[in-house]
Amino acid sequence: MKTPCVKPILFWPLFLIGALLLLARGYTGAGAQGSSIGITGADFARTVQTADSTALRDSLTTVLPRIVIAFADKNRQEILSYPVGMVGDVTAPNVTNLQVAVNAANRSATITWLTDEFAQTLLSYGRQPSTYDQSFTDARYAKQHTALITNLTLGNYYFIIRSTDRDGNQGTTTESNFTVADAPPPTPTLPPGVQLRTIQPAEGLTSQATNVTVSGSGFAAGVSAALQRGKGTYPLTAISVASPTQLQATIPTSLPAGLYDLVVQTSAGQRATLANAFSVLAGTPQLLEVLPKQGMSDLSNEISLHGFNFAVGAVARLGETLLPTTRINGNQVLAVIPAGLAAGKYDVVVVNPDNQQGMLTKGYAVYDNTSNNDLFGYSFELWSIPGAPRAGETTQIGLYVHRQGGKSTLPSVKVRFLLGNGSGSTLSEAALPFIDPAKGFEGTPPVDVIFPAAGEIILTAVIDPDNAISEDNEANNVITRTLTVAAPGADRTPPVVTDIQINGGAPQTSDTAINVAVSATDPAPNPSGVKSAYLVEYVFNSAVNQWMPIQQSGWLSYDETPDYYGWNLRPIAGMHYLQVRALDQANNISVGAARAQISYAPPSDTLGRGQTRIYRYTVAAGQQLRVRLEPISGDPDLYVWSSNVAQSARVSNNEQGNEQVLVPANEIVAGTYQIEVYGYTTTEYRLIVEIGAPSLSAAATTQQPKSPTAKTPPIAPVLAITNTPDDRQGAPPSPPANQTTVIRQLFLPLVRR
Amino acid sequence: MTKPITRITYGGLLLLCLLLLSFTPGATRTQPSAAIRLRVPAFVSVAQAQADALVVPSAVAAINALVDEAGIAAYFNRGGSINLSQVKGIYRTVEQETNQHLIGSVQVKATSYTYPETEDVHLYVNTNGWVMAYYLNADPVGKIFDAAQFDGGSVNTKLEIVLGRAATAIGVGSGFTPTFYDFRYPNATHLLIIGEKTNQPVDAFQVNLPSSFTFLERGWSHWTNPQGGTTHCTFNRCKLKLNDVDVNTGTKPDDGKYGTLTAAQLAAGQTHTISLHDEFTSATIYSTGGLVLIYREMP
């Protein structure tokens, strides 16, 4: 075609398509509204009746993509075809340089190899030798081959490669294998300045010095380090800075048994604290507390045992029943009470490998799941506002009361508050309006009291003091805690915790070592300045339907805003809340409304039958959420709840195989999502949660095929999605006597028998 | 009278010098084809050694080597045996000759036009009936376009010209249908040649490549007018442009160039203009050019 110059782009077929689109949208022109078109002064007007273009539209849908050419003089297209008969190759491709790179974090493997001629790829793989039930295929010819295998689970994989050249010759490799193992958790980036991350070893005997390695950042010559506990400070010796991220030191002998914070200070005065960092063991184990202290006979229950001198290899026992035990340190072990035990009260025992043992007599109660009735409470739920009362001023006190079992709602349950232990003088009384059966949980109305004098006091609450209610266990109705009543002062306004950032706001961690940034301020009038922070770690125990304070700090020195604290989560999978209180120089304590959450997702977790593990994630508008649950053994089910209470759960409860829930971006309810992993049977599983842009891997959109199941999905979440540890829970310890000491408090239940 | 004598004298001296030079030991001048035949390509020797060790027919080893060296190719099978002596005569050079096959280069010579030796096509002929014309894998695919003879009508290739010569030699005549293949791109499914001829100062065409195709080579070809005078293309008057940007500037008439465009230059999903510029064209004198694409009709 001839043109005098470069021609404009006029694809009239496109114009036709555009016209058809207008037709398809019902466009009929201005006159289609029923009114006439007024035309004045025109030389000519023409009306064209549009025809039904459905058939043409249907035909156009069959047009495949093509190279569009305009104005060319001529073109020619040829189909390319390999001359099989001419080449006559009878040799199969030879595979070399076979390499496997496993990405444990993404659960994928990249397998690469070379062939000595162009060949197609067929990689067959499976979990058992010589059994290949899955495959990766690439029909394109290449000499450098890459097979990306996704959606893997932990364990061994076996594979072979079949290479087929252009002449159809096929070669098969011998079997190779690889293993998908857990990826080491990434080391989070620490904030600037001196920070602490870990100490290794994290415990030692009082009878001998312990050489330790401290990891963190900002270490430099001139740094000092000490262990702190209560009012005691114990400097470390032989401090040597190996690098800005590592220092070595020696913990001296003769430290009292217990759990210590590690405090490191630079020569410039910067200070960092790793809470509950080092455990000193000395002699016979002592068991002081069991949390929770009761459970139902039909459910297994995860309990936390606190005390001293739990040696490496220590195991927990309930009566004569040996419990699966996870030792955290010399002061804490976790254990699992199995389902099916007979109802009754059991001694709880921690036994060291040398057979020395610490025991809490009748420290745990197993309730019959069909007939029981018990009221009880915890010292960490005996609260006061302000947290540090002032002599002569009104203080509000109260108690949360739990009810185990029962058949009907109990009205008007009385609670009596005493100054002193169980035989002390009565301060006041309050009554719960009602408390429901089963796992009921109610708080008393606030009671106004005045403590006449400054000093340390014992506050006691007695549930059902007149024994008006018949209970299976009457011995757990007295709750006691220690409070320090401060002298009147000018600064009566408690400080405020304004922000808490866990690992910089990360939604989850697979490493228990985390970093907590706390920002606090002491408002007017008469601000004395923030002095300390107090951290409590909560996990939710679904067996008893209760938030459990699994770990507390002492009062940690607050030196700057924000101040960073190293923290080791207790290794319990699921959501962990950190509640932070601040203390000012006048010993005012903030309320417990400040808290932050992070989900701990270890490489694998175990659940008993009927148990639920809860994770929470924040998902923003425009993001999508993908949750994948991989059973390693047993049958876990997956339920995902949004913050819209009107929505039912997204369910994946196959009877075998992986579970997966995908919430696409256009269906996201911005806010918190609660992920519940339910042990349909006793199970070991791995949970993978991905939150991000809708461009998450295409594989993410692939749902597992549903197998027939008779399981009934829940109609409500195990825990309301707005349910968090209460502001008044986690009663803080008494303020330290001076600015440099650190006080630790374990909640010790006083049981009146 | 003196001038012709002078020319003859100078010519004789030149011829004498050349003869002396040709017999001088250590001369570096390119040897005639007989000497080239002695320098068998290394890969053929290796292939032969491996073939002997594996007791594989030497023809297979040779074809394997050919597969490695070939780029764009066109082939047919005559459906019967071929007497190699019938076709040997069309070779300009013979690189390998066995009882089963011939490999060498053949001049691209049509009825009305003969391409220079730079355009020679390799030709493989086997006694079992296979005939394949090909360019080496270093040559851009745009080289195959029979641009010098393109008149705006049918689009032909130099490979087919040589196949035609071979077909005539073995008695097939025009009774063959070529099949194309590019040994460099085993995943390619199609070859597309778009031809343009101009006998006016500027002529152009447009092309839009679909994003869903995979383009393995975006070749171009440009041939300045075969009938032009020596000054025809001076002052940058003979050009091939892409989107008004120079791709090639011809410097003399009857000269071909070819090359490749990058994916960025000829991006998919956009309309591109390929224009031929020749200020001295006429109805009988023209320039030609176009695109030669190798692609896969799927990702």
Side-chain angles (χ1 to χ4, degrees):
Chain A
M1 180 178 176
K2 308 292 185 300
T3 54
C5 58
V6 177
K7 292 147 252 184
I9 303 169
L10 285 174
F11 293 113
W12 84 265
L14 295 178
F15 174 80
L16 174 62
I17 293 170
L20 291 174
L21 286 174
L22 289 175
L23 289 171
R25 293 178 181 180
Y27 182 79
T28 56
Q33 305 303 317
S35 58
S36 61
I37 302 173
I39 303 172
T40 304
D43 292 333
F44 181 75
R46 179 185 178 191
T47 302
V48 178
Q49 183 69 41
T50 56
D52 179 11
S53 59
T54 304
L56 178 56
R57 282 205 306 271
D58 291 346
S59 297
L60 290 177
T61 61
T62 65
V63 176
L64 299 174
R66 72 192 196 285
I67 298 171
V68 179
I69 305 167
F71 317 130
D73 288 332
K74 197 74 176 180
N75 77 295
R76 175 182 176 186
Q77 187 186 52
E78 292 287 342
I79 293 175
L80 301 176
S81 179
Y82 179 73
V84 176
M86 181 182 75
V87 176
D89 179 13
V90 293
T91 307
N94 186 31
V95 174
T96 58
N97 249 23
L98 177 62
Q99 295 182 3
V100 181
V102 176
N103 186 331
N106 291 338
R107 295 308 189 86
S108 65
T110 303
I111 302 171
T112 58
W113 68 96
L114 303 177
T115 50
D116 59 349
E117 60 178 315
F118 285 115
Q120 293 174 317
T121 295
L122 172 60
L123 187 144
S124 302
Y125 62 99
R127 301 303 302 264
Q128 301 297 326
S130 304
T131 304
Y132 315 113
D133 54 357
Q134 295 174 281
S135 64
F136 173 92
T137 303
D138 190 344
R140 292 173 298 181
Y141 290 97
K143 293 182 178 178
Q144 296 180 346
H145 303 264
T146 299
L148 175 62
I149 306 173
T150 57
N151 294 326
L152 301 176
T153 56
L154 292 176
N156 293 328
Y157 282 85
Y158 303 85
F159 67 94
I160 58 171
I161 296 166
R162 291 192 179 92
S163 284
T164 306
D165 68 16
R166 289 176 288 187
D167 293 271
N169 304 304
Q170 190 177 82
T172 304
T173 62
T174 56
E175 184 177 85
S176 302
N177 66 78
F178 62 88
T179 301
V180 181
D182 289 326
T187 302
T189 303
L190 293 174
V194 62
Q195 305 294 343
L196 298 179
R197 179 170 164 73
T198 62
I199 180 172
Q200 291 293 334
E203 62 187 24
L205 298 171
T206 189
S207 57
Q208 62 188 53
T210 304
N211 295 324
V212 296
T213 299
V214 178
S215 70
S217 62
F219 301 151
V223 71
S224 61
L227 293 184
Q228 289 188 343
R229 172 172 173 257
K231 297 177 182 177
T233 297
Y234 305 89
L236 274 58
T237 60
I239 295 173
S240 161
V241 177
S243 73
T245 60
Q246 191 176 83
L247 65 82
Q248 284 150 353
T250 299
I251 292 174
T253 61
S254 305
L255 270 65
L259 194 56
Y260 291 78
D261 301 326
L262 171 66
V263 180
V264 171
Q265 186 165 325
T266 68
S267 57
Q270 283 188 311
R271 189 157 53 171
T273 303
L274 182 62
N276 297 344
F278 192 84
S279 188
V280 174
L281 287 79
T284 306
Q286 298 175 57
L287 177 58
L288 302 176
E289 185 182 31
V290 178
L291 284 175
K293 54 191 177 187
Q294 74 292 310
M296 307 302 287
S297 59
D298 63 333
L299 288 176
S300 61
N301 194 6
E302 294 172 335
I303 60 172
S304 177
L305 291 77
H306 300 258
F308 293 100
N309 301 325
F310 301 154
V312 175
V315 293
R317 230 176 47 212
L318 187 73
E320 298 304 317
T321 303
L322 204 59
L323 305 177
T325 305
T326 301
R327 178 178 178 273
I328 304 301
N329 53 40
N331 302 88
Q332 186 177 17
V333 296
L334 305 177
V336 180
I337 308 283
L341 293 178
K345 296 171 189 168
Y346 291 82
D347 295 339
V348 184
V349 185
V350 174
V351 186
N352 279 350
D354 61 2
N355 283 328
Q356 294 193 84
Q357 62 184 44
M359 183 169 72
L360 204 55
T361 305
K362 300 189 185 308
Y364 186 85
V366 175
Y367 293 110
D368 188 321
N369 61 303
T370 58
S371 62
N372 62 81
N373 192 23
D374 186 36
L375 300 169
F376 59 94
Y378 289 93
S379 60
F380 62 82
E381 291 173 339
L382 177 52
W383 55 268
S384 73
I385 297 177
R390 292 202 171 271
E393 297 180 5
T394 299
T395 299
Q396 290 186 328
I397 59 174
L399 175 73
Y400 288 104
V401 178
H402 298 262
R403 184 183 181 196
Q404 193 78 64
K407 300 296 182 186
S408 59
T409 298
L410 287 175
S412 190
V413 177
K414 186 187 292 184
V415 176
R416 180 174 297 153
F417 297 96
L418 309 175
L419 183 58
N421 56 25
S423 57
S425 58
T426 298
L427 284 167
S428 185
E429 287 186 351
L432 305 172
F434 64 90
I435 187 165
D436 288 327
K439 296 168 184 173
F441 175 68
E442 297 292 339
T444 64
V447 174
D448 290 342
V449 297
I450 295 176
F451 299 109
E456 200 166 80
I457 63 164
I458 293 174
L459 178 64
T460 299
V462 183
I463 304 168
D464 185 26
D466 303 324
N467 280 331
I469 302 165
S470 175
E471 301 177 62
D472 291 355
N473 182 3
E474 299 284 1
N476 58 1
N477 288 5
V478 179
I479 316 301
T480 301
R481 64 171 289 206
T482 301
L483 273 176
T484 297
V485 178
D491 179 6
R492 301 182 182 186
T493 307
V496 177
V497 176
T498 56
D499 190 37
I500 307 166
Q501 292 276 326
I502 301 175
N503 278 356
Q508 73 173 20
T509 178
S510 59
D511 186 357
T512 56
I514 59 171
N515 192 276
V516 185
V518 174
S519 299
T521 184
D522 190 25
N526 305 314
S528 56
V530 179
K531 179 169 68 173
S532 303
Y534 171 71
L535 281 64
V536 184
E537 178 186 341
Y538 290 91
V539 295
F540 185 76
N541 185 316
S542 64
V544 294
N545 195 37
Q546 186 180 348
W547 290 101
M548 283 292 161
I550 200 74
Q551 180 182 197
Q552 307 85 20
S553 72
W555 283 110
L556 305 174
S557 175
Y558 185 87
D559 301 313
E560 57 186 335
T561 300
D563 208 345
Y564 295 90
Y565 303 102
W567 189 264
N568 274 290
L569 295 173
R570 290 301 174 244
I572 300 172
M575 56 181 177
H576 289 241
Y577 275 84
L578 281 179
Q579 181 190 52
V580 180
R581 281 186 167 88
L583 175 74
D584 66 17
Q585 300 286 355
N587 287 339
N588 295 301
I589 299 173
S590 66
V591 295
R595 52 189 166 257
Q597 189 266 146
I598 192 166
S599 283
Y600 172 56
S604 68
D605 183 31
T606 57
L607 272 180
R609 184 185 63 80
Q611 275 191 320
T612 300
R613 195 74 77 199
I614 303 173
Y615 305 77
R616 284 178 181 167
Y617 294 86
T618 300
V619 185
Q623 293 182 313
Q624 74 172 26
L625 168 67
R626 183 176 76 131
V627 186
R628 194 149 58 97
L629 177 63
E630 299 174 353
I632 299 170
S633 64
D635 181 12
D637 293 334
L638 180 61
Y639 305 106
V640 179
W641 305 86
S642 78
S643 55
N644 182 352
V645 295
Q647 286 186 344
S648 54
R650 292 174 185 265
V651 177
S652 181
N653 58 359
N654 296 322
E655 293 183 347
Q656 58 184 4
N658 292 348
E659 311 285 0
Q660 179 168 288
V661 164
L662 172 71
V663 186
N666 60 354
E667 296 177 24
I668 281 290
V669 178
T672 302
Y673 271 80
Q674 181 160 303
I675 297 166
E676 296 180 356
V677 179
Y678 174 72
Y680 189 77
T681 65
T682 297
T683 182
E684 182 178 5
Y685 69 92
R686 178 183 173 87
L687 184 73
I688 300 167
V689 179
E690 293 178 0
I691 300 169
S695 58
L696 281 176
S697 62
T701 61
T702 305
Q703 294 276 359
Q704 289 286 325
K706 284 284 182 186
S707 58
T709 175
K711 299 172 183 175
T712 303
I715 57 172
V718 168
L719 180 68
I721 205 164
T722 53
N723 189 315
T724 60
D726 191 89
D727 298 357
R728 300 169 189 178
Q729 283 182 301
S734 298
N738 58 58
Q739 192 171 347
T740 58
T741 56
V742 177
I743 303 285
R744 169 166 322 290
Q745 174 168 331
L746 279 173
F747 299 107
L748 306 181
L750 181 62
V751 179
R752 186 177 67 181
R753 300 184 179 90
Chain B
M1 293 296 288
T2 55
K3 284 184 179 176
I5 293 171
T6 305
R7 281 201 294 268
I8 293 169
T9 305
Y10 287 154
L13 285 171
L14 183 60
L15 181 63
L16 182 61
C17 289
L18 289 172
L19 286 171
L20 286 171
L21 195 60
S22 67
F23 286 99
T24 302
T28 57
R29 182 168 176 252
T30 303
Q31 300 296 303
S33 60
I36 292 174
R37 206 178 286 139
L38 297 176
R39 293 187 288 130
V40 178
F43 65 83
V44 175
S45 302
V46 172
Q48 185 66 56
Q50 290 174 338
D52 291 341
L54 298 170
V55 200
V56 172
S58 60
V60 171
I63 199 71
N64 284 342
L66 186 149
V67 165
D68 288 339
E69 75 180 27
I72 183 70
Y75 62 90
F76 69 91
N77 190 302
R78 71 157 295 171
S81 63
I82 294 174
N83 181 349
L84 296 181
S85 64
Q86 290 180 312
V87 75
K88 186 175 178 182
I90 70 169
Y91 281 85
R92 188 200 297 270
T93 62
V94 175
E95 296 167 355
Q96 190 175 70
E97 179 178 2
T98 70
N99 292 335
Q100 294 164 321
H101 69 263
L102 276 171
I103 303 175
S105 59
V106 175
Q107 189 176 36
V108 184
K109 183 179 180 181
T111 306
S112 58
Y113 186 83
T114 300
Y115 279 93
E117 63 185 2
T118 54
E119 313 302 303
D120 283 1
V121 167
H122 272 71
L123 182 69
Y124 167 84
V125 182
N126 195 297
T127 55
N128 61 11
W130 288 101
V131 181
M132 182 172 81
Y134 65 96
Y135 277 123
L136 299 178
N137 58 21
D139 288 324
V141 71
K143 192 174 182 179
I144 68 168
F145 183 28
D146 178 18
Q149 298 190 90
F150 180 61
D151 60 1
S154 62
V155 172
N156 294 316
T157 69
K158 296 167 190 165
L159 302 181
E160 291 165 292
I161 293 173
V162 169
L163 285 182
R165 293 189 66 193
T168 299
I170 61 176
V172 175
S174 59
F176 71 93
T177 301
T179 303
F180 288 82
Y181 187 71
D182 195 320
F183 287 89
R184 296 166 296 184
Y185 309 116
N187 299 306
T189 58
H190 287 80
L191 161 72
L192 177 67
I193 304 171
I194 306 171
E196 184 74 2
K197 184 196 76 172
T198 181
N199 51 8
Q200 53 190 334
V202 182
D203 201 352
F205 69 90
Q206 293 175 326
V207 66
N208 192 315
L209 311 183
S211 303
S212 58
F213 289 10
T214 301
F215 289 88
L216 300 152
E217 187 167 330
R218 296 163 163 87
W220 58 265
S221 176
H222 182 206
W223 201 276
T224 54
N225 43 22
Q227 283 80 35
T230 54
T231 60
H232 185 95
C233 285
T234 55
F235 303 109
N236 296 330
R237 287 180 291 218
C238 302
K239 287 188 175 183
L240 177 74
K241 293 187 177 183
L242 168 64
N243 298 328
D244 216 25
V245 175
D246 291 357
V247 174
N248 182 54
T249 300
T251 57
K252 59 183 179 180
D254 198 19
D255 187 32
K257 289 288 190 301
Y258 18 76
T260 56
L261 300 169
T262 65
Q265 286 175 299
L266 197 67
Q270 302 173 15
T271 299
H272 302 276
T273 300
I274 293 87
S275 53
L276 279 171
H277 300 251
D278 191 336
E279 295 180 11
F280 285 107
T281 52
S282 68
T284 56
I285 302 175
Y286 49 81
S287 289
T288 58
L291 295 179
V292 185
L293 306 173
I294 298 284
Y295 60 97
R296 177 180 175 83
E297 279 195 353
M298 56 198 80

